[in-house]
């Protein structure tokens, strides 16, 4: 059995001390009430739900998994999932960040991110059911008609129904332009959807009365490729005039996948056999509509990396404290015990500090990005809105691509601290590794994130968000240049940021000469960017901790982690610099 | 279903072209017959067994797993395992490297390593049954009486019985000094063994007539800690006067573990309830006796990393060739197809070349180390024997610690190439990741390997093996300094080797001042050492390929992989250098 305690203290530090969220949020349109007191209370409620209701179902849900019934084509979720979903719905969490007109609470996106972390730490597999709903809600909010919103969105916000996103097909994964699912117009203005979708998270389950599928498909006269894709609402049960679920639609799960992890989440093959569907948004603009949700979806997957790493870290720290094995090299620390605990070994501390540096740094990346979502949506000044949107677009591939990769390392190190006991199912550590393995794959692989960062956010958009971010780092270094407490961090941060800019310039020129250089450098560029971003947030963390309001131990712990990060992790940029500079000639064709 | 084709061509290149194994082996005592023809034939037979008998049981064995019967305390292995073990025994593989007097074939250790790679690629879980036997055989060969060898060793060599090593207890893992299992002398000169051992691979199964457990336990008057441990032979069935298995001994499996992977291998909790056992070797010298087998055992685990990486790599390369998704950035390569294959993406090639560089480089590390085993055992010149032993001792923590860690990266990248399909059980890639996760843990965690390399092999033994290795690298660089084809490699290799020596010197001084500096630097030192070692073997590979006898495509492929390695992987040493230099102050105490 693994432990989990919501890291409220560090969340508050990140939100309020480092990012100044209260000041930001209360000056946004409609944000007058979003005071620290309110946000604190929300965090505490979310923590309670996660610790008491979700966390206990994590390991049992993995062991039990979902069961698919061939006869009825239905899926039974593991024990406790229904009750947890009921508690989630009753607590109003399904509509936490949704507009009040749909029954939501209109809380800031950053609170959605913070509470999502807690729920995902509690039980990642379970948390995918509401998460997919959230994506579907946003799509309908942005692209649905008023009637569609009333019929399909509202019940999700109320926690009675859930939603899905049906994109992938066997031959169309990263390359959605290849998708084949067809939509034939019917006489009544609806469409008949026919095709097979795979990897549909929460495609079928027993948690809710109805499931609203958002399906990408082609109209009969659609252009080939990605410009000929439209989006359709396809409910599991067609909806009666009174809004209640009626007749079964011809949309059903044909199977569920046997996956490495996330056993509690039903990942479905969805068969649409002339299912009734309704066009949402413009014809042939479905991919663009889907992409409007991509920022939120990718950010949420980044948060999954944070959430798994946090819980894995808590357990490995706890184990290192309790496990007695070996002696300190400089002499026994617990002479009365048969051995010292694992914490006396510097290499064990290295594994723990690696996790800590990544966990707390990643938390700042995702919360900072989420805060840009709020600024983009509700800042009074249009220029500020635009800047936030540009920053957000730039940060998303880092928040998704890097945080999920760091989670691979965190969960691996957490397991490693356990030695052979980490390999045993009952100790729970191997589940974190298995669950984490999906997050660098779905919602765009790491390769896709890297290409998005370098190809789109840097080159296509001329690095506008990147420049905002470099400006911020520059301003921070300027402001703290004379600050004694920050001296060990400001210099290396400024140097790394400067080099980041230079490498970006050089790379842009090389890609201009040969577009293949983009693919050759993108992965290393993504990591390079991630490590500098973490350095910035660790420097800010030290500054915020120094600024007071916290005890000496807290301050020292932040400083220790930052010192560790700058000395032992940030130097990885040297290796990634070499990768950026190596060029496509070092990646020759393979026959 | 995954594919597997024994990499005979690369094995031959490594053995004969790079390492000149034929010349080395045929000049050793008793090695006159070990010609390339003979060794080739052995490899081909092993390849056949692996490809045709073992490989098809890999995924089904994982899905089925071992079943433990509480009533009889027995374990049923998955379908096909018994037949595979029978074929293995009948082929004489159980005694491949054992002396002829025990019924073995007395082939060189390096052939044991090469064939073990093939068997482990075929089915790692299955391969643990004979692997553990091998360790037990070596122990009895070195420490058993003639009678013990006749009764317990011979049947294992003949493939009728198997063996185990019973070390770990719940409270005693890396720290064996804590073990509590007791051995009480009986009137007949035997002992009664009482205690619980955990994580006993192949502790109980249905593949063989009898199981010979080598158990570490304490005599009544034994000193505390690791100097009071003795080794005992404890058979599952006591042996009749005619050598046949007789009465059941009080040694049985109390449970099998539910593990992340290796489901086909029974990992047992072994209960010894006053079981009859026989002292082997000297009283209180059991740990030292066990450690005489450690080199072979750790090398074999390094080979597991290679074996899993090789098979994972073959599959990801195959998938990248066949999967059509997206288009090359510089324009379509397969305009007649709906999309290009994954190989057109430089980032996919990066993932494939990473695997290739690690797989083929690791193969040279483990074969080179194994060759030192042969030299140590059978070189005519005592000085050559000593040098080989010193080199071997130095290389073991690299072959185990680094190769197993690289296997984590290889199997991860191999899965990543599949995108979301990598997460699906039926595609077989996630099993490689799960199976690989144990190898950085058992036979000494990576932390233990790092401490062994820096603490024992470098500092305690004054780096004698390290100096031999640096001399070899120096001689190689000298010999090829003017070689145009090697110019891109010799310079960087020589520089890295020089810096390796300097860092070692500085570190030795710091550790002298504060022993905690050892633990603070060991992990980064291990990686640093591993990456330079790989650089050396990649440079040697280019030299060997240039030396001829191979086609232009083979030569170019070796050069490409070496170029990739030097440009994009070797620079990781910069980050590890920072870790080595950071010092224990960056790893402060954790309360």
């Amino acid at each position: 059995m693994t432990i989990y305690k919501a890291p409220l203290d560090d969340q508050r530090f990140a939100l309020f001390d480092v990012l100044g969220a209260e000041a930001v949020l209360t000056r946004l349109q409609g944000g007058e009430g979003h005071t620290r007191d309110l946000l604190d209370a929300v965090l505490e409620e979310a923590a309670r739900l996660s610790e008491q209701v979700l966390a206990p179902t994590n390991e049992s849900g993995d062991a039990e998994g979902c069961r698919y019934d061939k006869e009825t084509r239905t899926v039974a979720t593991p024990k406790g999932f229904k009750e947890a979903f009921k508690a989630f719905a009753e607590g109003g969490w399904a509509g936490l960040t949704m507009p009040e007109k749909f029954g939501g609470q209109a809380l800031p996106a950053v609170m959605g991110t913070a509470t999502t972390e807690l729920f995902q730490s509690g039980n990642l597999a379970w948390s995918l059911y509401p998460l997919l709903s959230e994506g579907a809600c946003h799509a309908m909010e942005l692209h649905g008609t008023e009637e569609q919103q009333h019929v399909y969105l509202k019940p999700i916000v109320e926690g009675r129904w859930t939603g899905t996103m049906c994109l992938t097909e066997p031959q169309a994964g990263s390359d959605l332009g290849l998708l084949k699912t067809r939509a034939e117009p019917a006489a009544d203005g609806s469409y008949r959807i026919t095709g097979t979708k795979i990897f549909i998270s929460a495609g079928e389950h027993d948690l809710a009365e109805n499931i609203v599928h958002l399906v990408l498909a082609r109209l009969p006269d659609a252009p080939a490729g990605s410009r000929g894709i439209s989006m359709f609402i396809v409910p599991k049960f067609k909806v009666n005039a009174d809004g209640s679920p009626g007749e079964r639609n011809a949309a059903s799960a044909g199977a569920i996948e046997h996956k490495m992890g996330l056993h509690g989440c039903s990942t479905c093959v969805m068969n649409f056999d002339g299912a009734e569907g309704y066009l949402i948004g413009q014809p042939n603009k479905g991919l663009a509509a889907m992409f409007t949700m991509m920022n939120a979806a990718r950010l949420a997957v980044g948060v999954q990396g944070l959430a798994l790493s946090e819980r894995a870290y808590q357990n490995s720290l706890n184990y290192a404290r309790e496990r007695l094995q070996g002696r300190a090299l400089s002499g026994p620390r617990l002479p009365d015990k048969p051995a010292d605990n694992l914490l006396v070994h510097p290499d064990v501390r290295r594994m723990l500090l690696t996790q800590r540096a990544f966990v707390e740094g990643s938390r700042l990346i995702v919360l900072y990005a989420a805060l840009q979502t709020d600024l983009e949506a509700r800042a009074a000044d249009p220029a500020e809105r635009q800047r936030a949107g540009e920053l957000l677009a730039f940060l998303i591939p880092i928040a998704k691509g890097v945080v999920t990769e760091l989670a691979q390392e965190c969960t691996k190190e957490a397991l490693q601290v356990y030695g052979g006991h980490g390999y045993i199912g009952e100790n729970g550590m191997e589940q974190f590794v298995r669950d984490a393995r999906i997050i660098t794959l779905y919602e765009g692989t790491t390769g896709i994130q890297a290409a998005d960062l370098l190809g789109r956010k840097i080159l296509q958009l001329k690095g506008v968000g990147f420049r905002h971010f470099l400006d911020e780092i520059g301003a921070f270094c300027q402001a703290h240049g004379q600050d004694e407490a920050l001296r060990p961090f400001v210099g290396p941060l400024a140097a790394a940021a400067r080099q980041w800019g230079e490498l970006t310039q050089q790379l842009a020129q090389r890609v201009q000469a040969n577009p293949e250089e983009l693919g050759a450098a993108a992965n290393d560029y993504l990591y390079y960017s991630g490590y500098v971003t973490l350095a910035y947030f660790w420097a800010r963390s030290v500054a915020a901790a120094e600024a007071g309001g916290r005890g000496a131990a807290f301050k020292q712990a932040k400083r220790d982690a930052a010192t560790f990060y700058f000395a032992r992790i940030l130097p990885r940029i040297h290796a990634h610099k070499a990768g950026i500079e190596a060029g496509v000639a070092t990646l020759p064709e393979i026959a």
Side-chain angles (χ1 to χ4, degrees), chain A residues 370-403:
Chain A
L371 209 50
Q372 305 311 312
T373 308
D374 290 314
L375 282 161
E376 183 186 20
R378 298 188 290 112
D381 176 3
E384 191 177 8
R385 288 205 297 274
Q386 182 175 342
R387 181 179 180 279
E390 290 163 349
L391 255 174
L392 177 65
F394 167 70
L395 283 169
I396 286 298
I398 296 173
K400 199 284 181 182
V402 177
V403 173

Side-chain angles (χ1 to χ4, degrees), chain A residues 41 56 101 140 163 168 177 217 252 308 327 383 404 407 437 462 470 524 567:
Chain A
K101 65 172 169 171
M140 290 190 280
T168 306
S252 63
L308 288 170
R327 289 292 186 188
T404 60
R437 194 63 198 82
K462 302 197 187 309
L470 278 188
D524 283 292

Side-chain angles (χ1 to χ4, degrees), chain A residues 4 159 198 322 384 412:
Chain A
Y4 177 63
I198 61 169
E322 294 186 353
E384 191 177 8
K412 170 185 180 286

Side-chain angles (χ1 to χ4, degrees), chain A residues 205-236:
Chain A
H205 58 78
D206 55 4
L207 303 181
E209 297 163 17
N210 201 359
I211 302 174
V212 181
H213 303 290
L214 294 190
V215 183
L216 293 186
R218 288 184 188 286
L219 292 168
D221 55 351
S226 57
R227 284 152 206 270
I229 296 171
S230 306
M231 182 154 65
F232 299 87
I233 293 174
V234 183
K236 173 181 172 183

Side-chain angles (χ1 to χ4, degrees), chain A residues 166-173 175-184 192-198 215-220 222-226 228-230 232 272:
Chain A
C166 298
L167 286 70
T168 306
E169 299 179 8
Q171 78 296 343
D175 187 353
L176 284 170
L178 299 174
L179 73 80
K180 292 178 177 169
T181 296
R182 301 185 325 270
E184 305 277 346
R192 296 294 164 272
I193 312 292
T194 303
T196 300
K197 297 284 181 179
I198 61 169
V215 183
L216 293 186
R218 288 184 188 286
L219 292 168
S226 57
I229 296 171
S230 306
F232 299 87
F272 298 92

